[in-house]
Structures are given as structure tokens and as C-alpha cells.
């Protein structure tokens, strides 16, 4: 008798859930359909409850009201144009403006004539048959990730690198083990010498030595996070210049 009662209660509860399910049409704009479907399947694993229409950029979802709210919120976030982070860089006396999409990387030139000690150390990381290649210069490989809006805060992941070769594509010797994370706001310039000089390698790396018989001198490298924009607006990252 108890078993029968439990089955009846279970059937009633299941029917109650079924009555709570609603069929709704959700639209999405900028997000790739494959990404939308992947995220939807994580929310709603049951295949028949999600019907994609990639051409119309719409999806039919059968779910309860709470899940529909999650779907709508997720689609708004996915459909939002990616943020462009706008920076200003001062390399010695040269000032440049550029922007890139959130999460992308750029190369920040340091010197076309890195210190001899930096070059010699990097050469040891090249394959023996490539150790005679001329040095092209040194740079910081930087990935910019937006952490927060209002006030705007980004994280810069910095990796030092030395380039060798005659013509692109160059041989790149990077130091992933020396990667450092720096927080940057839109309030003031960030002096990279100051924030990276806690490590002996960076103190020597952030120098230039135009003449082999002269002492290497520090490179002034400052960067500021100017603003955010959303859409396709972008300026190219800075290119290497003479010291």
C-alpha cells in the first residue's frame, strides 16, 4: 500500500513539474551559434528541450521560468559585443595610442639593442643551429584581461621575450616561467620598471645598450589604461621603433 501511495505521489509531483515548463523563443545577436548551443546544453542537458535556428539566430527552449531567466541572462552576456581596451604607451619619449579586444595579447617593444647579457642568455635557449641568428630586439608579450567595469580594472600578464632572425617569422625566446601579473586602472600611468624590477632578470631586461662598449641604460616604459569601448573600434598595437 505504501509503495502504491509513493508511486501516486511521484506521478502527481512529476505532472506538477510538467505544468511548470514553458516554451519560449529566445533571440541572440553577436554570439556564435555553436557557443550558444554549447552553453545551453550545459544549462539544459535534455536534447529535445532545446531547438536551435542558427540562420535566424533564435532558439526555442522548453524549461521552467527560472531556467528561462538564466537562458535570457546568458544570451544577453554572450550577445554583448566584446570590450575594447584602449591604452596609451610611453616608450622613452615616444607616445602611442592603441586598443585591442578583451583577452587578446600584444607585444610591447623594449629595445632593438638589448643588453649583451640578456642576448647571451637568450641565445642559450635557441637550437644550436640557430644560435648565429642576429638579435632583432626585446619585447614584453602582454595579455590584457578586463576584470571590472566602473571603475575599470584590467590585468596585464607580462612575459619577457627576445627575438632573433633576419626576417619574419622571427625566432622568439620567451620566459614563461617569469610571467608576472599586474593590475592596471584608468587612474594613472603604470611605470613598468617600478612594478617589474622586483626580479633581477627584469632589472637587466628593461634596458637598452646601443653600443657594446657602453653601459646599458634603463628604458622608460609607461602604460595607461585610457578607457573602454564596445564594438569594432580598434587601433593597432604599437610597433617597434629605434631606441
Amino acid at each position: 500500500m505504501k509503495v502504491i501511495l509513493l508511486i501516486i505521489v511521484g506521478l502527481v509531483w512529476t505532472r506538477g513539474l510538467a505544468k511548470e515548463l514553458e516554451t519560449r523563443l529566445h533571440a541572440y545577436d553577436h554570439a556564435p551559434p555553436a557557443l550558444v548551443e554549447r552553453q545551453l546544453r550545459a544549462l539544459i542537458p535534455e536534447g529535445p528541450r532545446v531547438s536551435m535556428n542558427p540562420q535566424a539566430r533564435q532558439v526555442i527552449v522548453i524549461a521552467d521560468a527560472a531556467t528561462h531567466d538564466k537562458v535570457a541572462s546568458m544570451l544577453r552576456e554572450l550577445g554583448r559585443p566584446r570590450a575594447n581596451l584602449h591604452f596609451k604607451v610611453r616608450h622613452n619619449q615616444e607616445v602611442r595610442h592603441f586598443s585591442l579586444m578583451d583577452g587578446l595579447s600584444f607585444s610591447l617593444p623594449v629595445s632593438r639593442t638589448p643588453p649583451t647579457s640578456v642576448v647571451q642568455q637568450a641565445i642559450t635557449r635557441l637550437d644550436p643551429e640557430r644560435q648565429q641568428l642576429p638579435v632583432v630586439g626585446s619585447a614584453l608579450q602582454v595579455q590584457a584581461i578586463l576584470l571590472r567595469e566602473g571603475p575599470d580594472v584590467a590585468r596585464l600578464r607580462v612575459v619577457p621575450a627576445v627575438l632573433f632572425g633576419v626576417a619574419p617569422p622571427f625566432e622568439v625566446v620567451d620566459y614563461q616561467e617569469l610571467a608576472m601579473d599586474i593590475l592596471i586602472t584608468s587612474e594613472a600611468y603604470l611605470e613598468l620598471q617600478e612594478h617589474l624590477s622586483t626580479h633581477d632578470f627584469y632589472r637587466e631586461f628593461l634596458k637598452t645598450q646601443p653600443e657594446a662598449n657602453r653601459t646599458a641604460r634603463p628604458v622608460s616604459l609607461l602604460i595607461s589604461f585610457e578607457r573602454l569601448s564596445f564594438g569594432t573600434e580598434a587601433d593597432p598595437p604599437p610597433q617597434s621603433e629605434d631606441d
Side-chain angles (χ1 to χ4, degrees):
M1 188 67 180
K2 289 182 179 180
V3 173
I4 295 174
L5 182 60
L6 286 173
I7 292 174
I8 293 173
V9 171
L11 288 173
V12 172
W13 181 76
T14 302
R15 287 173 183 172
L17 278 182
K19 290 180 181 179
E20 294 177 1
L21 297 181
E22 304 174 20
T23 301
R24 296 186 192 177
L25 178 67
H26 296 267
Y28 56 93
D29 296 320
H30 301 283
L35 176 60
V36 170
E37 184 169 12
R38 186 164 63 249
Q39 296 292 78
L40 282 172
R41 296 301 179 190
L43 284 174
I44 308 168
E46 300 87 347
R49 291 172 56 189
V50 175
S51 178
M52 299 287 299
N53 185 342
Q55 289 73 30
R57 306 189 77 81
Q58 296 175 335
V59 59
I60 297 175
V61 176
I62 302 173
D64 57 81
T67 302
H68 278 297
D69 290 343
K70 292 179 182 178
V71 169
S73 176
M74 181 265 290
L75 290 178
R76 280 195 301 272
E77 186 64 27
L78 290 180
R80 180 186 183 187
R82 290 181 67 178
N84 286 316
L85 285 70
H86 296 258
F87 293 99
K88 180 164 67 174
V89 171
R90 194 176 82 190
H91 180 226
N92 294 330
Q93 300 303 314
E94 184 79 17
V95 177
R96 307 237 178 136
H97 297 262
F98 70 97
S99 64
L100 72 161
M101 281 189 176
D102 178 26
L104 297 186
S105 300
F106 63 95
S107 180
L108 198 57
V110 175
S111 174
R112 284 189 173 181
T113 54
T116 303
S117 59
V118 172
V119 175
Q120 292 301 321
Q121 181 177 345
I123 286 176
T124 63
R125 296 194 174 205
L126 288 172
D127 294 334
E129 65 272 14
R130 299 183 180 275
Q131 291 184 355
Q132 299 305 315
L133 289 173
V135 63
V136 176
S138 57
L140 295 174
Q141 298 173 335
V142 185
Q143 182 188 33
I145 298 176
L146 180 65
L147 297 182
R148 189 178 66 208
E149 297 177 45
D152 302 332
V153 179
R155 185 185 73 206
L156 303 181
R157 185 165 184 80
V158 177
V159 176
V162 182
L163 288 71
F164 295 87
V166 178
F170 299 118
E171 293 289 327
V172 179
V173 175
D174 59 26
Y175 294 81
Q176 293 290 338
E177 71 276 16
L178 297 178
M180 294 187 70
D181 290 334
I182 304 173
L183 296 184
I184 184 170
T185 68
S186 55
E187 296 177 353
Y189 266 112
L190 185 71
E191 172 58 77
L192 290 177
Q193 278 277 8
E194 176 185 345
H195 285 80
L196 296 175
S197 62
T198 55
H199 196 287
D200 290 340
F201 178 87
Y202 280 100
R203 281 197 290 270
E204 189 66 16
F205 182 83
L206 294 173
K207 291 182 179 180
T208 186
Q209 191 175 6
E211 300 178 38
N213 58 346
R214 296 289 187 90
T215 303
R217 65 175 187 267
V219 171
S220 177
L221 198 55
L222 299 92
I223 184 169
S224 69
F225 181 13
E226 297 289 287
R227 62 187 178 90
L228 283 177
S229 67
F230 295 89
T232 57
E233 177 186 0
D235 303 311
Q239 300 298 316
S240 179
E241 286 288 328
D242 293 330
D243 296 313

